[in-house]
Amino acid sequence: MALLPILQYPDPRLHKVAAPVTEVDAGVRQLVDDMLETMYQSDGVGLAATQVDVHRRILVMDTSEQRDQPRVLINPELIQVSEEMMLGEEGCLSVPTIYDAVPRHARVTVRALGRDGQPFEFDAEGLTAVCVQHEMDHLLGKVFVEYLSPLKRERIKTKMLKKARDEQKRQ
Ligand code: GNR
Ligand code: NI
């Protein structure tokens, strides 16, 4: 097991498009285990491979209260989405301290391969539905701040760059 560094917005690598996984092998299983450890350590409800600079369609999540229900989604697809949208406050481990409202489908049906390489499906609503859509955006190179106004996005970019510069100086 290992903790993986999480790319920080506006790192251009967050905009790479992930490629489908062709085989769920030992290397993929090692990566998902490291991603789960990194997600729990960071108190995140989800983590996409893109955020750890691996550009393959892999994400992990756990939206349970007890944080004891890890989910692994490889090559995830939304096979059904509700017409109804919802607006929820989102945050992102790649954009720490920034929270804002993003429109998402209220309910989704997801199909993916699990850690064992076997296909499975589930219906999601609430935080789980939000999280799946947020993580699947990461795999397409999209960060939630791209739903905000250009003005807000520029302010966030400036704040993050300043923070990175300050952290650099302290080292
Ligand atoms: O930890 C996270 N919390 C969160 C809260 C509301 C909507 C989405 C999320 S995902 C985020 C972790 C993360 O950045 N995943 O990519
Ligand atoms: Ni995120």
Side-chain angles (χ1 to χ4, degrees):
M1 298 279 267
L3 289 176
L4 306 169
I6 298 175
L7 298 179
Q8 299 293 297
Y9 185 80
D11 192 309
R13 292 170 291 182
L14 285 170
H15 303 303
K16 289 195 188 185
V17 177
V21 171
T22 51
E23 194 189 349
V24 181
D25 57 16
V28 169
R29 286 190 292 273
Q30 178 68 58
L31 174 66
V32 303
D33 292 348
D34 291 345
M35 286 173 62
L36 281 165
E37 188 184 3
T38 304
M39 177 189 77
Y40 285 121
Q41 160 82 25
S42 316
D43 282 323
V45 295
L47 186 70
T50 306
Q51 293 176 280
V52 296
D53 201 23
V54 176
H55 303 283
R56 303 168 77 183
R57 293 188 57 81
I58 299 169
L59 65 88
V60 297
M61 49 193 278
D62 187 341
T63 51
S64 69
E65 288 275 311
Q66 308 292 332
R67 308 200 42 75
D68 58 357
Q69 287 167 52
R71 293 190 214 230
V72 174
L73 280 69
I74 298 166
N75 296 344
E77 299 170 72
L78 293 182
I79 57 176
Q80 211 168 283
V81 299
S82 65
E83 221 170 290
E84 187 194 333
M85 305 296 282
M86 63 178 162
L87 206 53
E89 253 335 74
E90 296 194 17
C92 182
L93 294 172
S94 295
V95 201
T97 76
I98 306 294
Y99 302 88
D100 215 325
V102 176
R104 301 289 188 185
H105 298 286
R107 291 171 303 281
V108 297
T109 303
V110 189
R111 179 183 294 156
L113 303 179
R115 192 183 178 283
D116 58 4
Q118 292 304 305
F120 68 104
E121 283 183 26
F122 64 97
D123 295 321
E125 59 180 17
L127 179 61
T128 306
V130 171
C131 189
V132 170
Q133 292 170 79
H134 175 115
E135 305 313 335
M136 288 181 68
D137 269 355
H138 275 303
L139 301 179
L140 295 173
K142 187 162 183 178
V143 179
F144 86 97
V145 298
E146 291 170 63
Y147 290 93
L148 309 179
S149 71
L151 176 61
K152 275 191 182 176
R153 192 158 56 245
E154 278 316 304
R155 284 178 173 158
I156 292 165
K157 214 176 269 183
T158 303
K159 180 177 174 180
M160 296 295 296
L161 288 170
K162 178 176 188 303
K163 184 168 153 264
R165 236 184 302 116
D166 290 349
E167 279 167 4
Q168 198 83 57
K169 259 187 269 172
R170 260 185 272 110
Q171 276 177 19

